[in-house]
Structures are given as C-alpha cells and as structure tokens.
Amino acid sequence: VGRMNDALLATAAAALLAPDLPPPALRGPPDAFDVHRNTVIHALVQAQADGAPVTRAVLGAECFAALARDRVRLDPPRSP
C-alpha cells in the first residue's frame, strides 16, 4: 500500500504542474483536479509576483504571469 500511495502522490505532483499530463485516478468529478491544478499554479505565480513587484510592473501583469507560469513548470519549487 505504501508504494502505491507513493506512486499516486508522485503522479499527482507531476500532473499539478504539467497540463499536458492526465490527472491521476482519484475520486471525485473529473474536472476537480483541474481546479486544484489551477489553484496551485495561480498561488505559485502570485508568490513570484509578490517577490518581484518591480519586474511585474515593468513587464505588465499578463506578460509576467505567462513567464511565471513557464518558470513554475520548468523549475518547480522544491519545498513548501
């Protein structure tokens, strides 16, 4: 059971940051994972915006958000 849970957690963690990956086999409505994925990405983008307000102002909100989403997916955080 421990290995199965570890595999499920690893699959879910990878799918959170990769919209091209299918959601893991979890209970609940199929689109529930998409909502969670969007919430995680939004929080990580917002954290970057909070840490770089001048860069966000120079680039503009939309450009900054697009670049921040790419960065989150290419270099995800290693700790909470």
Side-chain angles (χ1 to χ4, degrees):
V1 172
R3 286 184 186 166
M4 190 165 87
N5 286 340
D6 290 346
L8 180 61
L9 287 173
T11 300
L16 278 174
L17 299 176
D20 54 319
L21 292 178
L26 300 172
R27 296 181 189 161
D31 61 343
F33 189 80
D34 290 335
V35 171
H36 188 58
R37 177 187 285 152
N38 290 339
T39 301
V40 168
I41 295 293
H42 176 76
L44 293 171
V45 167
Q46 187 60 49
Q48 289 183 69
D50 292 347
V54 174
T55 304
R56 183 179 183 270
V58 169
L59 293 175
E62 285 185 38
C63 182
F64 183 90
L67 292 170
R69 279 190 298 275
D70 288 346
R71 180 170 186 258
V72 163
R73 290 184 178 126
L74 293 172
D75 186 24
R78 291 170 185 77
S79 64

XYZ file of all heavy atoms in Angstrom:
583
model
N 0.827 -1.199 0.000
C 0.000 0.000 0.000
C 0.864 1.252 0.000
O 0.560 2.215 -0.670
C -0.972 -0.007 1.208
C -1.696 1.294 1.349
C -1.915 -1.169 1.119
N 1.980 1.235 0.730
C 2.850 2.404 0.791
C 3.413 2.773 -0.565
O 3.453 3.940 -0.937
N 3.837 1.770 -1.336
C 4.381 2.055 -2.665
C 3.307 2.604 -3.592
O 3.578 3.472 -4.411
C 4.993 0.794 -3.274
C 6.283 0.411 -2.660
C 6.882 -0.769 -3.363
N 8.059 -1.208 -2.662
C 8.649 -2.354 -2.874
N 8.163 -3.189 -3.771
N 9.718 -2.688 -2.202
N 2.099 2.077 -3.466
C 1.008 2.553 -4.314
C 0.691 4.013 -3.983
O 0.505 4.824 -4.876
C -0.235 1.685 -4.137
C -1.315 1.977 -5.150
S -2.570 0.705 -5.208
C -3.668 1.281 -3.943
N 0.659 4.329 -2.696
C 0.405 5.719 -2.299
C 1.524 6.635 -2.767
O 1.270 7.742 -3.225
C 0.233 5.830 -0.784
C -1.103 5.289 -0.318
O -2.039 5.175 -1.096
N -1.170 4.931 0.944
N 2.771 6.194 -2.649
C 3.901 6.996 -3.111
C 3.812 7.245 -4.613
O 4.070 8.348 -5.083
C 5.230 6.309 -2.775
C 5.539 6.303 -1.283
O 4.880 7.052 -0.529
O 6.440 5.543 -0.876
N 3.440 6.211 -5.354
C 3.313 6.350 -6.809
C 2.179 7.304 -7.161
O 2.318 8.141 -8.059
C 3.086 4.989 -7.456
N 1.067 7.202 -6.453
C -0.065 8.095 -6.704
C 0.306 9.538 -6.377
O 0.001 10.457 -7.144
C -1.287 7.664 -5.894
C -2.540 8.502 -6.070
C -3.022 8.470 -7.517
C -3.636 8.015 -5.136
N 1.002 9.751 -5.265
C 1.420 11.099 -4.900
C 2.397 11.677 -5.916
O 2.308 12.848 -6.284
C 2.053 11.104 -3.509
C 1.090 10.942 -2.345
C 1.855 10.801 -1.037
C 0.137 12.107 -2.277
N 3.327 10.857 -6.387
C 4.286 11.325 -7.388
C 3.580 11.675 -8.690
O 3.890 12.692 -9.322
C 5.355 10.260 -7.626
N 2.621 10.860 -9.096
C 1.850 11.121 -10.312
C 1.048 12.411 -10.163
O 1.016 13.245 -11.069
C 0.907 9.942 -10.615
O 1.687 8.762 -10.786
C 0.082 10.192 -11.856
N 0.405 12.583 -9.016
C -0.400 13.784 -8.779
C 0.482 15.023 -8.750
O 0.138 16.052 -9.339
C -1.173 13.645 -7.468
N 1.631 14.945 -8.090
C 2.531 16.097 -8.003
C 3.026 16.503 -9.388
O 3.068 17.696 -9.718
C 3.712 15.770 -7.092
N 3.374 15.536 -10.207
C 3.840 15.845 -11.563
C 2.714 16.458 -12.390
O 2.926 17.417 -13.135
C 4.371 14.583 -12.239
N 1.519 15.925 -12.247
C 0.383 16.403 -13.047
C -0.079 17.800 -12.620
O -0.664 18.528 -13.425
C -0.785 15.418 -12.951
N 0.197 18.183 -11.381
C -0.195 19.525 -10.932
C 0.464 20.613 -11.766
O -0.135 21.646 -12.030
C 0.172 19.735 -9.463
C -0.787 19.180 -8.446
C -0.207 19.352 -7.047
C -2.148 19.817 -8.545
N 1.699 20.374 -12.173
C 2.453 21.409 -12.877
C 2.554 21.158 -14.376
O 3.185 21.936 -15.082
C 3.854 21.528 -12.264
C 3.876 21.923 -10.789
C 5.293 21.910 -10.265
C 3.232 23.281 -10.577
N 1.959 20.092 -14.858
C 2.052 19.752 -16.279
C 0.658 19.558 -16.862
O 0.069 18.491 -16.734
C 2.883 18.489 -16.466
N 0.118 20.588 -17.492
C -1.250 20.486 -18.000
C -1.413 19.450 -19.100
O -2.526 19.012 -19.377
C -1.554 21.883 -18.523
C -0.236 22.523 -18.723
C 0.715 21.873 -17.768
N -0.310 19.023 -19.707
C -0.400 18.002 -20.750
C -0.520 16.594 -20.169
O -0.868 15.659 -20.888
C 0.800 18.092 -21.692
C 2.127 18.026 -20.960
O 2.246 18.642 -19.887
O 3.042 17.354 -21.464
N -0.238 16.428 -18.878
C -0.394 15.122 -18.240
C -1.839 14.930 -17.793
O -2.473 15.876 -17.318
C 0.521 14.998 -17.020
C 2.013 14.948 -17.279
C 2.772 14.877 -15.956
C 2.363 13.755 -18.154
N -2.350 13.722 -17.925
C -3.713 13.478 -17.453
C -3.754 13.502 -15.931
O -2.743 13.213 -15.271
C -4.032 12.080 -17.985
C -2.705 11.417 -18.124
C -1.731 12.519 -18.473
N -4.887 13.842 -15.371
C -4.985 13.824 -13.906
C -4.874 12.393 -13.399
O -5.222 11.448 -14.110
C -6.364 14.419 -13.617
C -7.108 14.348 -14.885
C -6.115 14.283 -15.997
N -4.381 12.230 -12.184
C -4.288 10.876 -11.627
C -5.677 10.313 -11.363
O -6.661 11.052 -11.305
C -3.508 11.080 -10.329
C -3.733 12.501 -9.971
C -3.916 13.237 -11.265
N -5.740 9.018 -11.201
C -7.020 8.345 -10.929
C -7.410 8.589 -9.473
O -6.982 7.885 -8.574
C -6.892 6.858 -11.217
N -8.195 9.618 -9.266
C -8.661 9.976 -7.933
C -10.178 9.940 -7.901
O -10.840 9.981 -8.939
C -8.185 11.394 -7.569
C -6.689 11.626 -7.548
C -6.385 13.096 -7.380
C -6.040 10.822 -6.433
N -10.720 9.922 -6.713
C -12.178 10.003 -6.574
C -12.630 11.428 -6.820
O -11.882 12.375 -6.641
C -12.598 9.586 -5.172
C -12.299 8.161 -4.865
C -12.775 7.819 -3.476
N -12.277 6.508 -3.122
C -12.195 6.067 -1.895
N -12.572 6.832 -0.895
N -11.735 4.877 -1.660
N -13.875 11.563 -7.217
C -14.435 12.890 -7.412
C -14.663 13.195 -8.876
O -14.310 12.402 -9.759
N -15.245 14.351 -9.147
C -15.520 14.733 -10.535
C -14.218 14.883 -11.325
O -13.193 15.302 -10.773
C -16.240 16.073 -10.427
C -16.424 16.352 -8.991
C -15.679 15.338 -8.190
N -14.250 14.553 -12.614
C -13.025 14.624 -13.424
C -12.386 16.011 -13.467
O -11.170 16.126 -13.533
C -13.492 14.210 -14.815
C -14.795 13.549 -14.635
C -15.377 14.059 -13.354
N -13.182 17.056 -13.412
C -12.612 18.403 -13.509
C -12.120 18.943 -12.165
O -11.539 20.016 -12.106
C -13.599 19.360 -14.152
C -14.895 19.494 -13.368
O -15.178 18.629 -12.513
O -15.621 20.467 -13.626
N -12.311 18.194 -11.091
C -11.873 18.662 -9.771
C -10.357 18.826 -9.726
O -9.846 19.774 -9.123
C -12.341 17.703 -8.684
N -9.630 17.929 -10.359
C -8.171 18.038 -10.362
C -7.730 19.275 -11.136
O -6.767 19.943 -10.745
C -7.523 16.780 -10.949
C -6.038 16.758 -10.762
C -5.484 16.382 -9.557
C -5.189 17.130 -11.780
C -4.108 16.372 -9.366
C -3.814 17.129 -11.610
C -3.272 16.749 -10.394
N -8.429 19.608 -12.213
C -8.095 20.817 -12.987
C -8.243 22.064 -12.131
O -7.433 22.986 -12.226
C -8.969 20.919 -14.232
C -8.630 19.869 -15.269
O -7.479 19.377 -15.274
O -9.507 19.533 -16.077
N -9.270 22.093 -11.298
C -9.470 23.234 -10.393
C -8.294 23.317 -9.417
O -7.736 24.388 -9.192
C -10.811 23.111 -9.637
C -10.925 24.165 -8.548
C -11.977 23.207 -10.604
N -7.904 22.181 -8.870
C -6.772 22.161 -7.934
C -5.483 22.585 -8.645
O -4.696 23.365 -8.113
C -6.628 20.770 -7.329
C -5.628 20.686 -6.230
N -5.704 21.448 -5.086
C -4.500 19.945 -6.104
C -4.688 21.179 -4.296
N -3.934 20.274 -4.896
N -5.281 22.084 -9.861
C -4.094 22.440 -10.641
C -4.040 23.954 -10.861
O -3.002 24.583 -10.674
C -4.115 21.711 -11.982
C -2.965 22.075 -12.893
C -3.136 21.443 -14.261
N -2.825 20.026 -14.199
C -3.363 19.116 -15.020
N -4.242 19.461 -15.917
N -3.008 17.858 -14.910
N -5.151 24.548 -11.255
C -5.202 25.988 -11.495
C -4.919 26.778 -10.222
O -4.241 27.807 -10.258
C -6.553 26.393 -12.079
C -6.723 25.907 -13.496
O -5.759 25.611 -14.190
N -7.963 25.805 -13.937
N -5.432 26.292 -9.094
C -5.202 26.962 -7.815
C -3.717 26.929 -7.444
O -3.154 27.937 -7.001
C -6.042 26.303 -6.711
O -7.425 26.393 -7.074
C -5.821 26.958 -5.363
N -3.081 25.796 -7.632
C -1.647 25.660 -7.314
C -0.819 26.582 -8.205
O 0.043 27.329 -7.718
C -1.192 24.195 -7.452
C 0.320 24.082 -7.421
C -1.813 23.347 -6.359
N -1.076 26.556 -9.496
C -0.316 27.400 -10.426
C -0.527 28.877 -10.088
O 0.429 29.660 -10.052
C -0.721 27.117 -11.890
C -0.353 25.693 -12.283
C -0.105 28.129 -12.839
C 1.129 25.412 -12.354
N -1.770 29.263 -9.837
C -2.062 30.662 -9.505
C -1.301 31.086 -8.243
O -0.730 32.188 -8.199
C -3.562 30.873 -9.319
C -3.907 32.251 -8.892
N -3.899 33.324 -9.756
C -4.233 32.757 -7.675
C -4.218 34.425 -9.099
N -4.422 34.108 -7.837
N -1.293 30.237 -7.226
C -0.595 30.574 -5.981
C 0.906 30.727 -6.212
O 1.539 31.642 -5.664
C -0.863 29.501 -4.929
N 1.485 29.863 -7.037
C 2.922 29.958 -7.308
C 3.254 31.194 -8.142
O 4.279 31.846 -7.916
C 3.410 28.682 -7.997
C 3.361 27.423 -7.117
C 3.659 26.181 -7.950
C 4.317 27.534 -5.951
N 2.405 31.530 -9.091
C 2.606 32.749 -9.887
C 2.478 33.976 -8.986
O 3.289 34.909 -9.071
C 1.612 32.802 -11.062
C 1.586 34.178 -11.712
C 1.955 31.728 -12.092
N 1.494 33.959 -8.104
C 1.302 35.090 -7.191
C 2.490 35.249 -6.253
O 2.916 36.371 -5.959
C 0.011 34.925 -6.390
C -0.342 36.133 -5.555
C -0.528 37.386 -6.396
O -1.238 37.365 -7.395
N 0.112 38.473 -6.006
N 3.051 34.138 -5.798
C 4.231 34.204 -4.926
C 5.396 34.871 -5.653
O 6.127 35.677 -5.068
C 4.618 32.806 -4.454
N 5.556 34.549 -6.926
C 6.620 35.194 -7.697
C 6.329 36.682 -7.886
O 7.238 37.510 -7.814
C 6.773 34.519 -9.061
C 7.368 33.130 -8.953
C 7.574 32.511 -10.307
O 8.431 32.964 -11.049
N 6.793 31.497 -10.614
N 5.069 37.024 -8.132
C 4.693 38.435 -8.304
C 4.949 39.217 -7.018
O 5.433 40.351 -7.065
C 3.231 38.539 -8.721
N 4.636 38.594 -5.885
C 4.873 39.256 -4.601
C 6.361 39.480 -4.356
O 6.748 40.455 -3.721
C 4.288 38.430 -3.452
C 2.774 38.382 -3.467
O 2.142 39.181 -4.205
O 2.209 37.521 -2.760
N 7.194 38.582 -4.866
C 8.634 38.694 -4.663
C 9.341 39.578 -5.679
O 10.504 39.924 -5.489
N 8.648 39.926 -6.752
C 9.277 40.732 -7.805
C 8.301 41.783 -8.336
O 7.963 41.796 -9.520
C 9.751 39.823 -8.935
N 7.845 42.692 -7.474
C 6.834 43.649 -7.910
C 7.318 44.617 -8.992
O 6.538 45.016 -9.861
C 6.463 44.401 -6.623
C 7.648 44.222 -5.724
C 8.222 42.879 -6.073
N 8.583 44.982 -8.956
C 9.092 45.909 -9.971
C 9.144 45.217 -11.334
O 8.737 45.784 -12.354
C 10.476 46.461 -9.570
C 11.066 47.306 -10.677
C 10.367 47.268 -8.272
N 9.608 43.981 -11.354
C 9.647 43.218 -12.609
C 8.250 43.060 -13.168
O 8.031 43.209 -14.375
C 10.294 41.837 -12.379
O 11.590 42.023 -11.819
C 10.385 41.053 -13.669
N 7.288 42.771 -12.298
C 5.896 42.641 -12.739
C 5.396 43.950 -13.329
O 4.726 43.970 -14.366
C 5.004 42.209 -11.585
C 3.563 41.976 -11.993
C 2.753 41.511 -10.767
N 1.396 41.216 -11.129
C 0.397 42.096 -11.109
N 0.624 43.355 -10.743
N -0.825 41.748 -11.445
N 5.734 45.051 -12.693
C 5.298 46.365 -13.182
C 5.923 46.687 -14.535
O 5.267 47.226 -15.422
C 5.636 47.446 -12.158
N 7.183 46.359 -14.703
C 7.880 46.650 -15.963
C 7.323 45.784 -17.096
O 7.069 46.274 -18.200
C 9.402 46.435 -15.805
C 10.106 46.473 -17.146
C 9.985 47.478 -14.861
N 7.134 44.495 -16.829
C 6.655 43.576 -17.864
C 5.163 43.701 -18.128
O 4.701 43.397 -19.227
C 6.954 42.134 -17.468
C 8.414 41.717 -17.418
C 8.537 40.302 -16.898
C 9.044 41.849 -18.797
N 4.413 44.104 -17.130
C 2.963 44.090 -17.219
C 2.441 42.778 -16.641
O 3.125 41.751 -16.668
N 1.229 42.826 -16.116
C 0.669 41.678 -15.402
C 0.555 40.431 -16.277
O 0.913 39.333 -15.849
C -0.693 42.042 -14.813
N 0.063 40.592 -17.497
C -0.143 39.419 -18.364
C 1.168 38.773 -18.765
O 1.308 37.540 -18.716
C -0.938 39.807 -19.604
C -2.410 40.026 -19.334
C -3.185 40.282 -20.608
O -2.869 39.645 -21.641
O -4.095 41.115 -20.570
N 2.129 39.567 -19.187
C 3.426 39.025 -19.597
C 4.119 38.362 -18.413
O 4.661 37.259 -18.532
C 4.291 40.122 -20.194
S 5.896 39.540 -20.790
N 4.099 39.033 -17.262
C 4.722 38.471 -16.074
C 4.082 37.137 -15.720
O 4.778 36.160 -15.436
C 4.619 39.431 -14.881
C 5.319 38.905 -13.659
C 6.649 39.201 -13.443
C 4.654 38.113 -12.740
C 7.305 38.702 -12.325
C 5.297 37.608 -11.635
C 6.626 37.907 -11.420
N 2.757 37.068 -15.730
C 2.055 35.829 -15.375
C 2.417 34.699 -16.333
O 2.641 33.556 -15.905
C 0.551 36.058 -15.352
N 2.498 34.994 -17.619
C 2.855 33.960 -18.601
C 4.266 33.442 -18.349
O 4.511 32.228 -18.362
C 2.730 34.511 -20.011
N 5.199 34.348 -18.112
C 6.572 33.936 -17.833
C 6.674 33.185 -16.508
O 7.407 32.194 -16.400
C 7.500 35.147 -17.829
C 7.698 35.828 -19.180
C 8.446 37.147 -19.007
C 8.432 34.904 -20.141
N 5.932 33.637 -15.514
C 5.961 32.977 -14.214
C 5.378 31.566 -14.305
O 5.918 30.631 -13.696
C 5.190 33.808 -13.188
N 4.307 31.383 -15.077
C 3.745 30.033 -15.278
C 4.780 29.115 -15.930
O 4.950 27.967 -15.522
C 2.477 30.084 -16.125
C 1.243 30.454 -15.353
C -0.021 30.246 -16.188
N -0.045 31.080 -17.381
C -0.474 32.336 -17.425
N -0.924 32.914 -16.327
N -0.476 33.014 -18.552
N 5.466 29.628 -16.937
C 6.503 28.822 -17.589
C 7.601 28.447 -16.600
O 8.071 27.309 -16.576
C 7.112 29.573 -18.769
C 6.178 29.672 -19.954
O 5.146 28.943 -19.985
O 6.461 30.484 -20.855
N 8.008 29.405 -15.798
C 9.081 29.146 -14.830
C 8.650 28.095 -13.807
O 9.415 27.197 -13.459
C 9.479 30.413 -14.097
C 10.585 30.136 -13.093
C 11.172 31.406 -12.517
N 12.309 31.071 -11.694
C 12.266 31.037 -10.365
N 11.156 31.337 -9.738
N 13.326 30.714 -9.669
N 7.409 28.192 -13.330
C 6.909 27.236 -12.354
C 6.931 25.816 -12.926
O 7.303 24.872 -12.261
C 5.468 27.615 -11.918
C 4.759 26.478 -11.239
C 5.511 28.837 -11.018
N 6.571 25.710 -14.191
C 6.539 24.385 -14.811
C 7.939 23.856 -15.125
O 8.189 22.661 -15.038
C 5.675 24.434 -16.064
C 4.216 24.602 -15.696
C 3.306 24.565 -16.907
N 1.925 24.676 -16.460
C 1.072 25.569 -16.904
N 1.441 26.426 -17.851
N -0.155 25.607 -16.453
N 8.850 24.745 -15.497
C 10.213 24.318 -15.824
C 11.099 24.127 -14.596
O 12.016 23.310 -14.608
C 10.870 25.340 -16.759
C 10.264 25.433 -18.149
C 10.873 26.605 -18.923
C 10.462 24.130 -18.909
N 10.831 24.893 -13.544
C 11.653 24.844 -12.336
C 10.741 24.915 -11.115
O 10.680 25.943 -10.429
C 12.648 26.017 -12.353
C 13.629 25.961 -11.196
O 13.873 24.866 -10.658
O 14.142 27.019 -10.816
N 10.007 23.819 -10.847
C 9.045 23.855 -9.732
C 9.741 24.027 -8.387
O 10.923 23.681 -8.236
C 8.340 22.509 -9.814
C 9.192 21.642 -10.649
C 10.047 22.524 -11.504
N 9.020 24.562 -7.421
C 9.608 24.724 -6.089
C 9.985 23.358 -5.489
O 9.333 22.371 -5.758
C 8.504 25.408 -5.279
C 7.262 25.195 -6.041
C 7.633 24.985 -7.462
N 11.025 23.360 -4.711
C 11.497 22.116 -4.105
C 11.020 21.952 -2.668
O 11.203 20.909 -2.067
C 13.015 22.065 -4.168
C 13.517 21.894 -5.588
C 15.016 22.086 -5.680
N 15.513 22.054 -7.032
C 15.412 23.054 -7.902
N 14.808 24.166 -7.566
N 15.901 22.954 -9.114
N 10.455 23.003 -2.121
C 9.936 22.932 -0.749
C 8.713 23.851 -0.670
O 8.531 24.724 -1.499
C 11.004 23.364 0.244
O 11.346 24.711 0.049
N 7.901 23.637 0.372
C 6.689 24.476 0.505
C 6.986 25.934 0.751
O 7.992 26.382 1.080
C 5.971 23.883 1.709
C 6.678 22.637 2.086
C 7.985 22.624 1.365
